[in-house]
Amino acid sequence: MTTRRLFLKYTGGGMAVAVATPAFALANAPHTGGRPSADSFKLGLAGFNFLHFKLEQALEMMKKVDVHSLCIKDFHLPLTSTAEQVAAFHETLKNAGVTGYAVGPIYMKSPAEIDNAFDYARRVGVKLMIGIPNPEDLPYVEKKVKESDIRFAIHNHGPDGLGYPNAVTIYGLIKNLDPRVGICLDIGHDIRYGNDPIADMKKYAPEFLISTSKT
């Protein structure tokens, strides 16, 4: 199993990392209403790393760095994928020794798009979604989370992040929502904003930090 230290050695720190902390380790576990335990950790890769690569190329790169968990992006598995296409996609991942643990980031600008995103996550068979909804639609997101038991991590995007520039802003919006609504702390964008991502992780994990990434 690749550790964070070995992964960064292999890649020179140049590849983006999506670390589900702690959501990945419990992605398919039953929930009891609280947040996952703080010590659950596995290393994975954000599908967005492979924007300019076909799935087979992406899986080959993952093999080289010995990472076996992938956050699925819709340019590899479109939101409109049929059950047959989803099954074929998972078979391709399985043959490469990779598990798709989450989907996203997915932008959603209306309740209808939120419905589509949750339906997509359900069909893909994951229990974690990285999402960027309109802030005013968060009560509806919470409703969908309660109905589906799919965790929802909101992605910060730095100075140009519109409604979600940093973890502080996200926290203010979700602190009173269902505990399965949390933060996807993008370390790169946090630095771009001028924040200290280590301090933010210490502050918001484990209560609100569902996933982290570095771009």
Side-chain angles (χ1 to χ4, degrees):
M1 181 65 181
T2 293
T3 64
R4 285 170 287 179
R5 185 185 303 274
L6 286 175
F7 177 79
L8 292 173
K9 177 181 178 182
Y10 293 155
T11 64
M15 294 181 71
V17 184
V19 183
T21 316
F24 168 68
L26 300 177
N28 295 308
H31 300 295
T32 59
R35 295 188 184 277
S37 60
D39 59 353
S40 301
F41 182 93
K42 286 190 180 182
L43 187 65
L45 278 167
F48 192 80
N49 292 316
F50 306 113
L51 174 62
H52 301 296
F53 298 94
K54 294 181 178 180
L55 179 61
E56 291 73 15
Q57 295 173 302
L59 295 175
E60 184 59 32
M61 284 185 272
M62 292 183 69
K63 180 179 179 181
K64 287 181 179 179
V65 295
D66 194 26
V67 175
H68 304 278
S69 303
L70 177 69
C71 183
I72 300 165
K73 198 68 179 75
D74 55 0
F75 49 71
H76 284 148
L77 185 64
L79 296 175
T80 56
S81 295
T82 65
E84 291 76 16
Q85 290 169 325
V86 170
F89 178 88
H90 281 306
E91 186 66 20
T92 298
L93 263 58
K94 181 180 177 181
N95 290 339
V98 171
T99 299
Y101 70 89
V103 294
I106 302 174
Y107 286 87
M108 43 199 84
K109 300 300 183 183
S110 69
E113 291 186 0
I114 293 170
D115 287 341
N116 289 339
F118 273 89
D119 183 62
Y120 172 70
R122 178 190 59 77
R123 287 184 285 112
V124 175
V126 296
K127 283 294 187 179
L128 171 63
M129 183 194 316
I130 314 301
I132 308 98
N134 291 331
E136 62 268 25
D137 288 330
L138 284 173
Y140 189 70
V141 168
E142 181 185 34
K143 176 178 179 290
K144 298 296 291 188
V145 166
K146 290 178 177 179
E147 291 174 353
S148 65
D149 195 29
I150 293 173
R151 278 166 285 177
F152 193 93
I154 299 173
H155 181 265
N156 64 294
H157 210 272
D160 53 352
L162 301 177
Y164 308 107
N166 55 43
V168 177
T169 302
I170 298 173
Y171 167 76
L173 292 167
I174 69 169
K175 61 183 179 180
N176 295 320
L177 298 182
D178 186 281
R180 287 163 292 187
V181 180
I183 300 170
C184 171
L185 179 63
D186 189 301
I187 297 169
H189 287 310
D190 210 41
I191 293 172
R192 271 204 321 130
Y193 191 82
N195 285 13
D196 180 345
I198 303 301
D200 283 342
M201 281 192 282
K202 288 180 178 179
K203 181 175 182 179
Y204 297 111
E207 189 176 3
F208 289 97
L209 189 64
I210 286 182
S211 176
T212 70
S213 63
K214 175 180 181 296
T215 57

